[in-house]
């Protein structure tokens, strides 16, 4: 079960908590109304979101982060080191976007007895390739949610993978319209199952 930070399907909390694995994102705004089971917290490990999480005692001690046995960093440092120079030209306002905090997440995991996983840049590149068939236009990077979906489809190709909390809206550097089309394509193939999002209990931002 992959639980984004958008609208959660009505009555989904019990189904989420009954799943074999639950992945949440960043500050885990889905926690509570969207169930409490949390096995993995997938984090944006570069830029301002990473700095904010690592600098927050509230995040470090939150029930969702405490419950998780693994932290997944969705941004391979090698990929984002390579992106720094071209982004400096195309998006100079994103001057800290590629600042890497992976080592700090590693240290946090060591201190709290969690496993730290860095999603390989090849997953990011496979997601970019998959998006290319869905008219993404110009974008900076795929969303963390889509990178995690890509990673889990590779790791568990025969499993029942359900998603909720994906509104496919948010920062304009992510190609959210194309991401929705790609996710719908995976659903049509039976590779993903989308729980209907009908109860606006959380922020409308995507994962």
């Amino acid at each position: 079960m992959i639980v984004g930070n958008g609208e959660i399907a009505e009555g989904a909390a019990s189904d989420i908590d009954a799943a074999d694995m639950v992945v949440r994102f960043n500050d885990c705004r889905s926690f509570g109304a969207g169930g409490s089971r949390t096995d993995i917290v997938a984090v944006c490990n570069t830029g301002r979101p990473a700095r904010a999480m690592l600098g927050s005692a509230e995040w470090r001690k939150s029930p969702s982060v405490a419950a998780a046995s693994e932290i997944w960093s969705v941004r391979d440092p090698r990929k984002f080191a390579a992106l720094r120079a071209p982004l400096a030209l195309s998006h100079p306002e994103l001057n800290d976007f590629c600042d890497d905090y992976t080592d700090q997440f590693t240290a946090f995991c060591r201190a709290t007895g969690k496993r730290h996983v860095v999603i390989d840049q090849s997953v990011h590149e496979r997601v970019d390739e998959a998006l290319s068939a869905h008219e993404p236009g110009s974008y900076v990077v795929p969303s963390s949610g889509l990178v995690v979906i890509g990673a889990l489809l590779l790791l568990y190709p025969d499993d029942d993978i359900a998603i909720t909390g994906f509104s496919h809206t948010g920062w304009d550097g992510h190609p959210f319209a194309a991401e929705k089309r790609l996710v719908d394509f995976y659903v049509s193939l039976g590779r993903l199952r989308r729980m209907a999002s009908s109860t606006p209990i959380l922020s409308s931002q995507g994962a």
Side-chain angles (χ1 to χ4, degrees), residues 113-167:
K114 303 182 189 300
R115 180 173 179 246
H116 186 210
V117 174
V118 179
I119 296 179
D120 191 83
Q121 63 180 341
S122 62
V123 175
H124 183 137
E125 289 160 3
R126 287 175 68 111
V127 167
D128 281 332
E129 183 179 356
L131 279 168
S132 68
H134 296 275
E135 301 179 2
S138 177
Y139 65 96
V140 179
V141 292
S143 69
S144 297
L146 193 64
V147 172
V148 167
I149 287 172
L152 290 174
L153 288 175
L154 284 171
L155 286 169
Y156 305 105
D158 300 319
D159 284 18
D160 175 25
I161 302 176
I163 65 170
T164 188
F166 281 76
S167 57

Side-chain angles (χ1 to χ4, degrees), residues 6 26 30 74 78-79 85 94 100 110 113 134 137 141 152 160 167:
N26 293 322
S30 61
V74 303
R78 298 170 297 170
K79 180 70 175 178
L94 299 179
D100 180 43
R110 285 175 179 164
H134 296 275
V141 292
L152 290 174
D160 175 25
S167 57

